[in-house]
Every structure is written in C-alpha cells, then in structure tokens.
Amino acid sequence: MIVLKSSHEIDLMRRAGKITAAARALAGEMVKPGVTTQEINNAVEHFIRKEGAIPSFLHYNGFPASVCISVNDEIIHGIPGKRVLQEGDIVSIDVGAYIGGFHGDCAATFPCGTISPEAQNLINVTRQSFFEGIQFAKEGQRLQDMSAAIQAYAESHGCSVVREYVGHGVGTKMHEPPEIPNYGHAGRGPRLLRGMTLAIEPMINAGKAAITQLSDGWTVKTADGSLSAHYENTILITDGEPEILTVPAI
Ligand code: MG
C-alpha cells in the first residue's frame, strides 16, 4: 500500500529532507584529492547527529556506515574506509537522515578535482534524467511515466540504466512501496496521488547496464568496469508541480 502523508507529516518530512540535503552538500564539499571516504562519512555523521537526526543508513540491514560512498565504477552501497580519493575520480554520495519519525533520502555524484569530459557528461546526464522524470511526477500520471522519461533521456545520451536497484516510497520507513524503476513504459503502474513521498534515484552507467557485487557483500559496481553515477531526491506529489523535499537539490 502506498502511504499518503498528511500536511503535518509533510512538514516533518521537509525537516528531514533539509537536513539530508545539507548532509549531501557537506559531503560534496569534502570530495577532494587526498581525502578518505571514511573522513567524509565521519563528518556527515557528526553533522546529522548535531542536527538532532539519526543517520538512516547506519546499521540498515547491517550496513556498517552512515553514508554510502561509491567511487568510479561503483554504482551504489560503497562502504567508506581507507580509500583515498584521487584527482579525476567521480564520487557518488548517498545519504539519509531520520528525525521526527520520518526519513529523507538523497544522493549525487561529485567530481574529485578535474575529471574527464566523459565523466562530467555522465554526471550531467544522470542528474538531468531525474529532472526529465519528475516532469511526470504529478497527480494523475502513472508511475512509469517517470520511469520511461528517465530511461529515454539516459539512453538517448548513450548511457544505460541499472535495472536491479530502483527508487522507492519513503516516509516512516526508508523504503516503502512503491518501487520506482528507472526504466519502463509510459502509462503503466499506479496513478500518482498528492501526498505520496517518493525517492526518485536514477543510477546510470556510461557503459552497459549489467552489475556485479563485490565480496564485501555491499558494494555494487558495473560489470564492464565503466563509470556509474547516481542522483536522487525525495519528492512530494502535489496537485501541481512536485516539491523537492531534499533541498537544496544541488
Ligand atoms: Mg533511495
């Protein structure tokens, strides 16, 4: 069942969303050559707790950190650690914060120093595919209207869409129904209703769509070793334009 949020619950989600987005921005500012992914994780966790919130990802299904940090060919669920970021890396940061009974969830991919034009293009295509998708995030549209728009944009720019991981509803739980694939067919899926809060999160590969999982049990990477990027915001369906709850959206 897709939960519709009341106006009070939406206010609580705005608060969670702002903290989550600020945590993403902080992480992004830290992406520089010589910084370890552990340092970013620790600073973000400290920030979230200082704001009175709890990192949503810490211990979620056993995840051992507060932030997912996925570098280059890593798609999602990278575990922060001793890895030192290098000039030219692209760094996907996914973060969630829980406060007042609700979660915010957002992600973005950041350049480390100067990156290749191909890498920058992937970041741009991934981000723009989100905005192409949410043009259809309106009451009365079908869920896969968003999915199809994301897929069409990414594939028309020579990129491919990860199939195994998808967007989702978000609220009192970090993952709620419905699943929101980044591929699909316009006109399919449930109708969108005002009060739905959804995490839309295209995961886009520069090469082929196939994935593989590292032996750490978490990190998901591209099977062909190509670069991957991620972009996500929590949004609210209204009777007009969608409202991004994880603001600023970067
Ligand atoms: Mg998410």
Side-chain angles (χ1 to χ4, degrees):
M1 194 189 94
I2 305 175
V3 179
L4 303 180
K5 275 72 174 183
S6 68
S7 61
H8 174 63
E9 291 170 327
I10 290 163
D11 277 341
L12 293 171
M13 289 200 66
R14 287 191 183 103
R15 177 165 63 145
K18 279 185 183 152
I19 294 170
T20 312
R24 169 178 58 185
L26 169 65
E29 287 165 14
M30 289 186 70
V31 170
K32 291 193 172 78
V35 174
T36 69
T37 53
Q38 185 74 56
E39 287 170 324
I40 296 174
N41 176 81
N42 293 356
V44 168
E45 175 167 352
H46 181 261
F47 171 80
I48 289 171
R49 293 192 188 281
K50 181 171 68 71
E51 293 294 313
I54 295 169
S56 302
F57 298 175
L58 185 61
H59 308 316
Y60 183 83
N61 290 338
F63 189 74
S66 296
V67 188
C68 296
I69 305 181
S70 308
V71 182
N72 294 339
D73 61 343
E74 298 172 353
I75 302 167
I76 48 166
H77 300 168
I79 302 173
K82 292 176 180 158
R83 181 171 188 156
V84 179
L85 297 179
Q86 310 287 325
E87 182 93 21
D89 285 345
I90 64 169
V91 184
S92 296
I93 306 271
D94 193 353
V95 61
Y98 180 75
I99 186 169
F102 290 87
H103 293 274
D105 189 4
C106 67
T109 300
F110 297 94
C112 184
T114 303
I115 62 173
S116 70
E118 294 76 17
Q120 187 63 55
N121 181 61
L122 175 67
I123 290 174
N124 295 349
V125 168
T126 303
R127 181 179 184 279
Q128 187 58 32
S129 73
F130 166 91
F131 288 99
E132 298 291 325
I134 69 165
Q135 289 186 33
F136 299 92
K138 289 181 182 158
E139 184 158 68
Q141 296 281 343
R142 296 278 188 183
L143 184 145
Q144 288 193 29
D145 297 348
M146 295 188 288
S147 310
I150 292 168
Q151 179 181 16
Y153 185 82
E155 292 182 350
S156 73
H157 289 77
C159 301
S160 60
V161 173
V162 171
R163 300 295 202 273
E164 290 82 354
Y165 296 88
V166 297
H168 51 91
V170 55
T172 58
K173 287 183 280 188
M174 192 164 62
H175 293 113
E176 297 182 351
E179 291 194 343
I180 307 166
N182 298 303
Y183 58 94
H185 298 277
R188 294 191 191 170
R191 279 202 194 282
L192 301 179
L193 298 171
R194 72 185 81 177
M196 289 181 178
T197 46
L198 308 173
I200 312 295
E201 52 174 322
M203 288 153 264
I204 306 295
N205 298 345
K208 296 208 165 69
I211 66 164
T212 184
Q213 184 142 27
L214 292 193
S215 57
D216 65 16
W218 280 105
T219 311
V220 178
K221 61 186 285 295
T222 59
D224 62 7
S226 65
L227 295 176
S228 186
H230 189 192
Y231 186 77
E232 173 182 33
N233 285 298
T234 300
I235 68 165
L236 167 70
I237 304 297
T238 75
D239 55 356
E241 295 300 312
E243 178 182 335
I244 296 179
L245 301 178
T246 43
V247 282
I250 292 195

